[in-house]
Amino acid sequence: MILKITDVKDPKLRLKSKPVIKFDKKIRQLISNMRETLIAQKDPEGVGLAAPQVGKSIRLFIIDYRKEKKVIINPEIISVSKEKKAPKTKNKDSILEGCLSLPHYYGPIKRSQKIKIKYQNLDGKLVSEEFTGFIAQIIQHEIDHLNGVLFVDRILEQKAPLYKFEGKDFEEVELI
Ligand code: NI
């Protein structure tokens, strides 16, 4: 079932999410629906989706980026690299960060290039894993969602520009 993705103005996106306690059928169904919802996003496409974005204030998110398909439950940051920068593409452009709760808006956000987290998988098993580059950026974006933080907060904090992508063009816009 494709779920409705909450809009950036929804106060639910500002809550601190609660830990997942039961690894039951209900949670599996939610994850399956979240996967279906994420894959269905084409304009724009998404690479991650956090439970608060579908109205569930629980500590869980999924990633679907190329070969990296993950379910991350109750994540805790073990360590992050100190140096923060906006990841670059091969032609040295900054990868702009966006969010399905605020579609078509993007900005270059500096994130730690390495993050080590521990989390639980779908079976409740504790895993620790290190991520680098773009995946590390996605993880930081999604963990922010679980804490009620949105990428536009990071834009403000870092005084980074915000762009709206319409048609074929990026236009710099003011953050209101
Ligand atoms: Ni997001």
Side-chain angles (χ1 to χ4, degrees):
M1 191 173 78
I2 295 175
L3 307 168
K4 190 180 176 298
I5 297 181
T6 49
D7 178 80
V8 70
K9 293 195 182 86
D10 191 318
K12 269 192 182 168
L13 281 178
R14 293 306 190 171
L15 300 173
K16 189 171 162 66
S17 297
K18 299 216 162 63
V20 172
I21 296 163
K22 281 188 193 163
F23 292 76
D24 55 6
K25 249 191 188 170
K26 240 171 97 183
I27 216 85
R28 283 175 189 270
Q29 188 58 55
L30 172 67
I31 290 163
S32 152
N33 288 339
M34 283 173 65
R35 273 206 188 110
E36 208 181 318
T37 305
L38 181 54
I39 292 165
Q41 304 306 311
K42 298 294 177 207
D43 181 32
E45 287 184 12
V47 291
L49 186 66
Q53 290 180 281
V54 294
K56 303 278 178 205
S57 199
I58 53 172
R59 304 187 78 74
L60 142 69
F61 63 84
I62 59 166
I63 289 178
D64 191 329
Y65 176 67
R66 296 185 181 161
K67 282 182 189 162
E68 203 77 62
K69 297 181 199 312
K70 294 212 166 277
V71 175
I72 296 197
I73 304 171
N74 300 332
E76 276 179 49
I77 299 171
I78 299 172
S79 61
V80 283
S81 61
K82 270 194 186 151
E83 193 205 351
K84 286 188 178 179
K85 57 179 184 181
K88 304 271 187 209
T89 59
K90 273 188 188 142
N91 46 20
K92 306 247 172 24
D93 290 333
S94 287
I95 294 175
L96 298 177
E97 191 168 317
C99 181
L100 290 171
S101 291
L102 186 61
H104 309 294
Y105 288 85
Y106 301 91
I109 298 181
K110 293 190 184 88
R111 300 280 194 185
S112 299
Q113 290 301 289
K114 252 189 212 172
I115 184 167
K116 193 173 180 190
I117 59 169
K118 59 176 179 183
Y119 64 94
Q120 282 169 285
N121 67 15
L122 198 48
D123 302 314
K125 195 180 158 226
L126 201 59
V127 184
S128 64
E129 201 170 351
E130 188 175 69
F131 299 92
T132 56
F134 188 50
I135 303 288
Q137 180 176 8
I138 301 172
I139 300 266
Q140 289 164 79
H141 177 109
E142 301 306 333
I143 290 179
D144 272 353
H145 271 302
L146 306 185
N147 295 324
V149 175
L150 298 173
F151 88 99
V152 279
D153 304 339
R154 300 294 183 199
I155 295 261
L156 277 177
E157 193 182 278
Q158 298 180 10
K159 299 187 175 66
L162 182 70
Y163 301 102
K164 186 167 191 191
F165 185 69
E166 264 177 323
K168 287 181 198 158
D169 299 310
F170 277 102
E171 184 198 343
E172 189 165 348
V173 290
E174 288 289 316
L175 188 58
I176 322 163

